[in-house]
Amino acid sequence: GSHELVIAQGLSQASSKFIKLPVQTIDNTIEAINQWIETLGENVHIIFEQTGTYNLPLSYALTLHEITFSVITPSQSKGFVKSMKVTHQHDGVDAALLSLYGANYQPAPTSIEDEHLHHLRQKRKHLSTLMTQKQAYENQLHALSFDPRADKLVIESLELLQMTLQIQITKFKEELFTLDDDQHKHLFGLIKSVVGIGDASANALIIASDGFKNFSNVKQVLKFLGIVPIEKHSSKSVHKNYGLAKTGLGYVRAILYMAARSAKKYNLACVAVYQRQRALGKAHKVAMIAVMNKLIRQVFGVVKNQTLFVNDFEFAK
């Protein structure tokens, strides 16, 4: 839940009695979590499900205490529940199942995002919200412009809201985008040299990442944009595919998806990725996400190496 954390500890094997495993409930606050952490022994590995912003206090506190933890997706836990054939669930059962999941699969540790990138993501999201709201008010004003009996007070209110939002939009654009014109032009040329990347996708990537200045590796970029690998579990096996994390920048991903449609036809490495995924029986959407992943790796490569893209580079080795 959003206000409480339900904890089950020490489960290491499947048992018909795990539903009766004693659980502990604590408040979902930094103070309460810190007190609980003090009771933990050494070499612990905490497993919990991604719940939007509600799991952030736990992630942050565990990181400060240098305790290993793994965040799994709802689809992962749902698949595991099906494999265990559990029909009656409540918070205690869910906590016990997560403990058992960790023991069975030993998921890779999760690390929280760099603080600068965390703030950058929040500002990007807020800017996107401001722009959406401003557009909504513009649409209302446009509609009212055809009404000869439109209420003047309503129009004045909408115009004031529109002006206020524009001030905030300008403020956040200045805060977020620090590249000068020459830097932007240079980066634009490098990124657009990647086959499949057009004007819109090049600009979107430059603006969203602030020229990739604060990213030390491509995995950070993929996580920031929300193009990350996920695991899906069935009752018999574990399948790993690329999935789109909802925590990323949706509008950038939408533009990248369009770029991937071109890349899978003309970018030789992306063509190979798409064909390989399809040959493995992957769905078209999964293959396209893999192409998006490849595109970002290529873009990051040309930016960090400051070299133009060569379409047949990987095949000429």
Side-chain angles (χ1 to χ4, degrees):
S2 59
H3 304 296
E4 292 183 330
L5 299 176
V6 180
I7 302 161
Q9 293 177 236
L11 197 65
S12 60
Q13 59 184 359
S15 168
S16 61
K17 297 181 180 179
F18 77 85
I19 293 178
K20 298 179 181 179
L21 185 74
V23 296
Q24 178 184 1
T25 302
I26 64 173
D27 291 334
N28 190 15
T29 64
I30 291 291
E31 182 180 3
I33 293 170
N34 282 336
Q35 291 176 356
W36 167 68
I37 287 175
E38 294 297 331
T39 68
L40 298 177
E42 296 182 355
N43 301 319
V44 296
H45 189 161
I46 309 299
I47 314 292
F48 53 96
E49 185 178 313
Q50 182 179 336
T51 55
T53 59
Y54 297 136
N55 60 260
L56 294 182
L58 180 58
S59 299
Y60 183 66
L62 291 172
T63 299
L64 291 181
H65 287 270
E66 299 183 346
I67 293 177
T68 302
F69 67 94
S70 298
V71 184
I72 67 172
T73 65
S75 62
Q76 287 174 296
S77 60
K78 185 177 180 181
F80 184 66
V81 169
K82 285 185 177 180
S83 72
M84 295 298 296
K85 299 180 180 179
V86 175
T87 55
H88 301 290
Q89 285 183 260
H90 52 73
D91 287 344
V93 173
D94 290 340
L97 283 168
L98 287 173
S99 179
L100 184 59
Y101 177 98
N104 284 3
Y105 291 107
Q106 295 293 310
T110 300
S111 58
I112 64 173
E113 196 169 45
D114 173 83
E115 188 161 338
H116 176 83
L117 296 181
H118 186 63
H119 290 169
L120 182 62
R121 183 195 301 281
Q122 290 179 342
K123 289 173 182 175
R124 296 286 181 207
K125 185 175 181 180
H126 184 58
L127 176 59
S128 178
T129 300
L130 291 173
M131 294 174 70
T132 299
Q133 291 175 337
K134 180 174 178 287
Q135 185 61 55
Y137 292 138
E138 287 179 356
N139 293 343
Q140 285 182 263
L141 282 169
H142 178 70
L144 287 172
S145 68
F146 294 96
D147 185 353
R149 298 187 298 166
D151 187 275
K152 290 184 178 180
L153 190 61
V154 171
I155 292 176
E156 289 175 1
S157 176
L158 288 171
E159 289 175 340
L160 178 61
L161 288 168
Q162 189 180 35
M163 182 176 65
T164 302
L165 285 170
Q166 184 57 56
I167 292 172
Q168 291 299 310
I169 288 170
T170 301
K171 174 183 176 181
F172 275 89
K173 279 186 175 180
E174 291 175 351
E175 172 74 18
L176 287 167
F177 194 58
T178 60
L179 298 177
D180 61 35
D181 290 342
D182 288 339
Q183 289 174 314
H184 183 281
K185 185 177 180 179
H186 175 65
L187 278 176
F188 183 82
L190 288 174
I191 294 173
K192 198 181 172 186
S193 72
V194 176
V195 176
I197 298 292
D199 291 359
S201 47
N203 274 320
L205 286 170
I206 292 171
I207 294 171
S209 67
D210 196 15
F212 296 94
K213 291 189 300 183
N214 297 291
F215 296 90
S216 59
N217 59 68
V218 72
K219 288 184 178 180
Q220 290 179 332
V221 181
L222 292 168
K223 184 177 180 181
F224 182 72
L225 296 176
I227 307 172
V228 293
I230 62 172
E231 291 180 356
K232 294 183 178 180
H233 297 282
S234 68
S235 59
K236 297 181 179 179
S237 62
V238 178
H239 303 284
K240 180 178 283 189
N241 279 320
Y242 288 115
L244 292 183
K246 294 182 180 180
T247 55
L249 300 175
Y251 73 96
V252 179
R253 290 201 307 271
I255 294 174
L256 279 175
Y257 188 86
M258 298 303 294
R261 293 178 63 181
S262 173
K264 81 178 181 69
K265 297 179 182 178
Y266 306 111
N267 183 312
L268 296 181
C270 289
V271 170
V273 167
Y274 182 82
Q275 291 177 345
R276 184 164 58 249
Q277 291 288 311
R278 295 293 279 163
L280 291 171
K282 305 297 184 182
H284 167 73
K285 185 176 180 180
V286 173
M288 289 296 288
I289 293 170
V291 172
M292 292 167 65
N293 185 290
K294 185 65 175 179
L295 271 178
I296 293 302
R297 291 179 181 277
Q298 292 175 335
V299 166
F300 188 77
V302 298
V303 170
K304 288 302 178 183
N305 294 321
Q306 292 292 294
T307 56
L308 293 173
F309 179 74
V310 179
N311 197 15
D312 61 352
F313 176 75
E314 294 183 32
F315 297 90
K317 293 179 181 179

